[in-house]
Amino acid sequence: MPGVALTVVVCPACYTAESLARDIRRGRYAYTPAGAYKARTEPVDNGTAVLVWYDPAS
């Protein structure tokens, strides 16, 4: 669903979540091609969530 942000994981450490979000933006794992997916982090009660959404305009 383009443009809909989904939480893909909650990491206990913020630096792990930031690293994963950066990898997703660069097209690593199943998030290809590079730049097609946007990712950001957000603090939650039990750690840091990684939110990802598909951006077809990229």
Side-chain angles (χ1 to χ4, degrees):
M1 295 185 307
V4 177
L6 300 174
T7 300
V8 294
V9 68
V10 174
C11 301
C14 65
Y15 56 85
T16 304
E18 290 290 343
S19 177
L20 179 58
R22 183 175 42 256
D23 286 347
I24 290 168
R25 289 189 296 268
R26 292 180 178 169
R28 299 189 88 185
Y29 315 111
Y31 300 97
T32 57
Y37 288 87
K38 306 297 182 193
R40 68 179 175 91
T41 59
E42 182 175 289
V44 293
D45 290 337
N46 54 341
T48 303
V50 178
L51 288 83
V52 178
W53 64 96
Y54 176 68
D55 185 8
S58 296

